[in-house]
Amino acid sequence: MSRVLMLLIGALAAVTFAAVVLVAVPKALLAEVKPPPQLKPYTAEQARGRAVYMANGCIYCHTQQIRDPAITTDAQRGWGRPSVPADYYYDQPHLLGTMRTGPDLFNVGARLPDPQWQLLHLYQPRALVPWSIMPAFPFLFELKAQAAPGDTVVKVPAPYAPPGQVVVAKPEALALVAYLLSLNHTYPSPESARPEGTSPPKGQVAQGGS
């Protein structure tokens, strides 16, 4: 057997092993997971907002997962109970994230439920949090001399308000806010997501708003 053939066989074996361990086994383990009754599919607007979230790279700075209180301070920060697979039943693709340049958003809809706050935070984060390093997203808004019927005007305080103009949220901004407000997992941890015969980890009992 030539060395090239041995190398190809070894590579194929490695890829097959990785596919089984990283894809097939996890999929089989999660096949029986069902969505909790309090978790609803995304509406059309929320789904559009989720696409805006992905297109603007929000996942690079924000996670959507609460970690075990035994190893993190997530619960102490008021972010909620540890997340479980059932919480992501309707998420395709999942947006768990790994970086926390900004706070976790798993329960941002419960923690910051005011749409005006969310819109202003997207338009100019420093208007609400002076030390924030989050980038502004002015392209999600338009400036008008006067609002038209049906426009959603953002209440921008001085000195961030444009002189003689109003800030109106574009449909992309409204959809993104709808998605952010849908991130509310303050219901009790789904029992079906826990393997039989095990107890919930300390601190996993529902903790209400985050």
Side-chain angles (χ1 to χ4, degrees), residues 102-176:
D104 185 273
L105 300 180
F106 186 65
N107 281 313
V108 69
R111 197 167 65 240
L112 298 165
D114 183 354
Q116 269 291 332
W117 190 98
Q118 295 287 354
L119 288 170
L120 178 57
H121 194 238
L122 290 172
Y123 178 72
Q124 179 46 266
R126 261 67 64 191
L128 290 165
V129 185
W131 45 263
S132 176
I133 60 172
M134 175 173 149
F137 295 85
F139 50 88
L140 297 178
F141 302 84
E142 59 182 321
L143 304 183
K144 292 185 175 182
Q146 188 173 6
D151 280 348
T152 298
V153 177
V154 184
K155 300 173 183 176
V156 182
Y160 301 100
Q165 294 179 304
V166 295
V167 178
V168 175
K170 292 182 179 178
E172 294 89 340
L174 297 174
L176 178 54

Side-chain angles (χ1 to χ4, degrees), residues 40-98:
K40 305 300 180 186
Y42 295 112
T43 64
E45 184 176 35
Q46 290 166 355
R48 287 195 297 273
R50 194 166 190 269
V52 176
Y53 183 93
M54 290 188 286
N56 286 278
C58 303
I59 192 174
Y60 296 123
C61 292
H62 294 281
T63 58
Q64 292 187 26
Q65 54 174 319
I66 307 301
R67 294 158 181 162
D68 194 303
I71 58 173
T72 70
T73 59
D74 289 2
Q76 297 173 23
R77 296 182 181 187
W79 289 349
R81 61 165 173 78
S83 50
V84 296
D87 293 322
Y88 306 100
Y89 185 85
Y90 298 112
D91 286 9
Q92 292 291 337
H94 301 106
L95 301 176
L96 300 178
T98 57

